[in-house]
Amino acid sequence: MAAQILDGKTMSEEIRREVAERAAALKERGVTPGLAVILVGNDPASEIYVRNKGKGCEETGMLSRTIRMDASASQDELENEIEKLNRDDAIHGILVQLPLPAHLDEQAALAKILPEKDVDGFHMINAGRLMTGTEGVVPCTPKGALYMIRSTGIDLNGREAVVIGRSNIVGKPMAMLLLQQNCTVTVCHSRTKDLASHTRRADILVAAVGKPGFVTADMVKPGAVVIDVGINRVDGKVCGDVDFQAVREVAGWITPVPGGVGKMTIAMLLMNTVDAAERAAGRA
Ligand code: NDP
């Protein structure tokens, strides 16, 4: 039987409705949640992401501000903008759109964002909080992916989870979240030997590689939950890291691309922003 589709569109709409309700409640108390996005240069993919984030804010009744900086901006100029936003009470969430031009130091810039305004959850303090299981801001993509995994209703205790990819923004935080759910977690990467021997054991398989069709049906355990984080472009079309048509015949649940994790990422960003605004308003 073909896998059930985990529909990111429907799930993200539920989250957006909740965010909109919470934003409206804050407004009644005189606080409009505000997200500022800093965009350095004019990378076309980043432009689309930034536009979608702004649209998401407007649709949920939040303030959105985009700070555009020239591709030749210096590290000092970038960090000055971040510091201005740190001091700005109308802004509850700050996001630096990645990747930055090569001459800029991403980690140094992210470290300047106040951890409580770091709605991407990339600041080292928030990464440390996730690692130690203390409350903090969780990165949007793995947070959205976990929401989708939990929506299956399966008991995660003691399940084998395999994450392919070990980036700071997806793979590592995803592994931490699954560990917190009491899964037995394996993290695979480009040096992993015999990858399929790991993936075939997975009750939950998360692919965050960046290679179209990388996960094939023979790599998947029958009935597994397969979460496709990848966003790739092939002949102008967006596709994930999973060979969707073949894997859906083996898996129990699967996320589509587009219409899967990507939708959840923006919804979780809006959720993290309203969380930050509530904390600032002293209610969380
Ligand atoms: P990175 O390039 O930072 O990480 C890719 C990971 O895949 C690395 O850890 C790498 O291993 C691993 N990898 C590469 N080749 C292999 C291989 N042959 N076998 C096993 N592992 C391999 O990417 P990101 O984590 O930033 O993103 C991953 C994908 O997710 C991309 O397609 C990206 O566009 C997408 N993405 C989607 C989002 C969404 O909202 N849906 C948000 C963020 C990202 P190693 O560390 O050894 O190099």
Side-chain angles (χ1 to χ4, degrees), residues 107-166:
Q107 282 307 320
L110 295 177
K112 289 284 171 196
I113 300 174
L114 276 179
E116 55 270 32
K117 292 194 178 188
D118 166 42
V119 281
D120 254 342
F122 296 163
H123 191 288
M124 269 181 281
I125 295 272
N126 283 318
R129 285 177 178 149
L130 180 59
M131 176 86 180
T132 51
T134 359
E135 203 183 318
V137 185
V138 175
C140 307
T141 300
K143 186 173 176 173
L146 180 66
Y147 188 101
M148 297 180 103
I149 294 166
R150 294 184 60 152
S151 77
T152 63
I154 69 166
D155 180 7
L156 294 178
N157 282 290
R159 295 282 187 163
E160 293 286 339
V162 173
V163 180
I164 319 176
R166 57 172 164 179

Side-chain angles (χ1 to χ4, degrees), residues 120-122 127 130-131 138-146 149 161-180 183-190 192 204-210 227-230 241 261 265:
D120 254 342
F122 296 163
L130 180 59
M131 176 86 180
V138 175
C140 307
T141 300
K143 186 173 176 173
L146 180 66
I149 294 166
V162 173
V163 180
I164 319 176
R166 57 172 164 179
S167 70
N168 289 336
I169 63 171
V170 189
K172 282 185 207 162
M174 187 75 245
M176 283 301 141
L177 288 174
L178 289 164
L179 196 56
Q180 278 177 9
C183 291
T184 302
V185 183
T186 304
V187 182
C188 299
H189 46 79
S190 66
T192 298
I204 294 120
L205 177 61
V206 181
V209 187
I227 305 292
D228 190 353
V229 178
D241 288 345
V261 177
T265 297

